[in-house]
Amino acid sequence: MIALADCNNFYVSCERVFQPSLEDRPVIVLSNNDGCAVARSNEAKALGIPMGAPYHQIKRLCGRNGVSVFSSNYELYGDMSRRVVSVLSRFVPEMEIYSIDESFLNLGGFSDPLGLSGRIRETVRKWTGIPISVGLGKTKTLAKLANRLAKKEHAGCLQVEAGNRSTLGSVPIEDVWGVGRRLSVRLRRLGFQDAWAFAQAPSSAIRAIGGVTLERTQRELTGISCLAMEEVPQPRKNTCCSRSFGKPVTGRGELEEAVANYAVRATRKVRAEGSLACGLQVFLSTNRFRKDQPQYSNSRTISLDEPTDDPIRIVKNAKALLNSIYRKGYSYKKAGVLLLDLVSGGSRQGLLFEEHGDGRRRDFVNALDEVAARYGQSGAFLAAQGVRRSWSMKRQSRTARYTTCWDELPVAS
């Protein structure tokens, strides 16, 4: 038996933990640069605010209905996610962290998995303040489907059996995990309108539409497990760090600062997984929605002569790539750094004369990461990353980082 524990309206729930007055009120959380609604409370959904709606289009609606609007507080959300995972891990021997707000739990061997799911749900709410829903099934896809229904129609916990025609028949085909909108259009044309019809379809027809991947999804709906639990996430093949700027950027210096910051962040992701980058790409672009402004976008890629996880070396190469594609006279909206062809750190093979650093360089970089991890990103950084960073992402309505910043701890009065 597999269970999917999914936090309800996660970003909104994190805000409500430290502001209980927001309970039963419409709340939305915005994306980078306060652009779009990426999390909505049930009350906000009832007002007709769609997922991904640009804030400038719904601003009047929010004002008329007293909707509380917040900027994304990624530091808080990341820490609250770790707390939820810590509680979940107390109940099961095997768990897969699927996303920031979802985890698969292996409940095989438990005599009453549905009862256990109820206790898990109660404990997570009591210890962290975050409400979760738990869906159960013999496979991951059934658990995902059960979780979706548990949020809408049941008391937060639901178990779905593969042969339950009434339950599977109530789920539109586009809501099945792994199908999506494009494939659902083709499936509907062939008469597969819901999850039950899809599960009963000939496997040859399903494979012809979506290949072996879609056939696995179908088999999962019939109770045949095709997706194994992954306790240890697979290392990435590439990793990217990119953000839209909080304001239009025209100067080369500000772009260099931004690219240096993205390069350091991407490198830290790679180092955390014990990987090395064999290639590097830098890209930048103007705001394509501003038709009244001249448009420009470009990218440049290089292969590194020696796989590396050295942020100093990567920043140096990233700035060189940026300078090769930078053009004066444009207002840039976005830039990013992509580390390519990642390989295991155990396969490190240096050049004969180690042109790119020695043991002292590695010790320095390790110390830099340790200080940044303990005291925050502003505790230790490269000079190339800048100090003021006026280009930084706009988050005008961000709440305090209650659990990760000493200066913003909640105070009881």
Side-chain angles (χ1 to χ4, degrees):
M1 186 64 65
I2 302 295
L4 176 66
D6 186 5
C7 302
N8 300 341
N9 308 322
F10 181 56
Y11 289 1
V12 170
S13 296
C14 290
E15 300 292 352
R16 283 175 166 174
V17 168
F18 297 94
Q19 299 185 68
S21 60
L22 297 175
E23 291 287 346
D24 302 321
R25 290 174 49 190
V27 181
I28 64 172
V29 176
L30 302 177
S31 62
N32 295 343
N33 292 309
D34 297 342
C36 305
V38 293
R40 304 158 296 155
S41 67
N42 292 335
E43 296 79 10
K45 295 175 184 177
L47 293 174
I49 298 176
M51 184 66 166
Y55 181 55
H56 71 271
Q57 294 181 2
I58 60 174
K59 190 172 183 179
R60 290 185 178 180
L61 175 64
C62 292
R64 289 196 306 266
N65 293 276
V67 179
S68 298
V69 181
F70 298 100
S71 302
S72 294
N73 190 342
Y74 298 118
E75 297 87 351
L76 174 65
Y77 307 152
D79 186 65
M80 294 301 291
S81 174
R82 288 188 287 272
R83 293 175 185 228
V84 171
V85 168
S86 176
V87 178
L88 295 175
S89 65
R90 292 170 175 259
F91 288 89
V92 293
E94 185 180 9
M95 178 173 67
E96 175 188 338
I97 302 172
Y98 181 67
S99 67
I100 190 173
D101 61 347
E102 295 176 289
S103 294
F104 286 104
L105 314 176
N106 188 348
L107 301 187
F110 290 95
S111 58
D112 183 14
L114 190 59
L116 175 62
S117 298
R119 294 196 298 275
I120 291 175
R121 187 169 178 267
E122 293 173 2
T123 305
V124 170
R125 183 62 185 266
K126 183 176 181 180
W127 290 9
T128 69
I130 302 295
I132 68 171
S133 296
V134 183
L136 297 95
K138 289 186 176 180
T139 66
K140 283 185 172 181
T141 303
L142 283 172
K144 188 83 172 179
L145 185 147
N147 186 279
R148 186 180 186 89
L149 295 176
K151 285 187 175 183
K152 293 183 177 181
E153 305 170 8
H154 299 268
C157 289
L158 177 66
Q159 181 174 333
V160 172
E161 301 296 338
N164 191 326
R165 180 170 186 171
S166 61
T167 299
L168 295 182
S170 68
V171 179
I173 185 61
E174 60 269 18
D175 289 343
V176 174
W177 186 43
V179 175
R181 293 184 181 179
R182 283 188 178 182
L183 288 175
S184 67
V185 172
R186 299 180 63 185
L187 290 168
R188 281 185 176 277
R189 287 174 182 168
L190 296 176
F192 309 131
Q193 308 292 328
D194 52 54
W196 174 257
F198 174 62
Q200 302 304 309
S203 297
S204 58
I206 298 303
R207 177 176 289 191
I209 295 173
V212 67
T213 302
L214 189 61
E215 186 182 4
R216 287 197 190 104
T217 299
Q218 183 200 35
R219 288 177 176 271
E220 287 257 318
L221 283 178
T222 64
I224 302 173
S225 179
C226 300
L227 303 174
M229 295 281 289
E230 296 182 3
E231 291 187 86
V232 180
Q234 296 298 313
R236 317 167 203 248
K237 298 298 182 182
N238 304 302
T239 191
C240 179
C241 186
S242 173
R243 295 285 188 277
S244 295
F245 302 132
K247 66 169 189 176
V249 173
T250 57
R252 187 197 306 254
E254 288 182 303
L255 283 173
E256 287 183 344
E257 282 188 6
V259 166
N261 277 274
Y262 301 153
V264 170
R265 291 175 187 172
T267 307
R268 282 184 176 147
K269 292 181 185 178
V270 169
R271 290 170 61 82
E273 294 181 350
S275 299
L276 304 171
C278 296
L280 171 66
Q281 181 183 95
V282 172
F283 58 89
L284 78 170
S285 63
T286 54
N287 188 348
R288 59 189 176 90
F289 296 105
R290 291 294 303 270
K291 303 301 183 182
D292 57 322
Q293 296 180 352
Q295 299 295 310
Y296 173 73
S297 64
N298 205 347
S299 65
R300 187 64 59 83
T301 305
I302 61 169
S303 295
L304 301 172
D305 53 3
E306 176 187 3
T308 185
D309 61 356
D310 183 351
I312 300 175
R313 181 186 174 198
I314 291 176
V315 166
K316 180 180 178 181
N317 283 278
K319 289 174 66 175
L321 291 176
L322 173 68
N323 289 326
S324 70
I325 60 176
Y326 170 77
R327 297 293 182 269
K328 190 176 181 180
Y330 292 96
S331 295
Y332 294 99
K333 179 63 176 177
K334 187 175 184 179
V337 172
L338 185 64
L339 299 184
L340 306 168
D341 301 326
L342 303 182
V343 297
S344 171
S347 61
R348 183 192 298 266
Q349 183 174 356
L351 297 178
L352 179 60
F353 299 106
E354 292 194 42
E355 296 179 5
H356 300 295
D358 53 20
R360 288 177 297 177
R361 168 75 74 87
R362 287 193 291 272
D363 290 342
F364 170 75
V365 170
N366 291 337
L368 195 70
D369 284 350
E370 184 177 346
V371 172
R374 178 173 296 185
Y375 299 106
Q377 301 300 319
S378 60
F381 55 90
L382 301 177
Q385 296 178 248
V387 178
R388 294 184 178 180
R389 304 177 190 176
S390 58
W391 45 268
S392 293
M393 181 173 60
K394 180 172 64 176
R395 292 193 289 178
Q396 295 180 339
S397 302
R398 178 183 65 80
T399 51
R401 295 163 293 183
Y402 302 105
T403 64
T404 60
C405 181
W406 286 108
D407 296 331
E408 299 176 17
L409 290 176
V411 178
S413 58

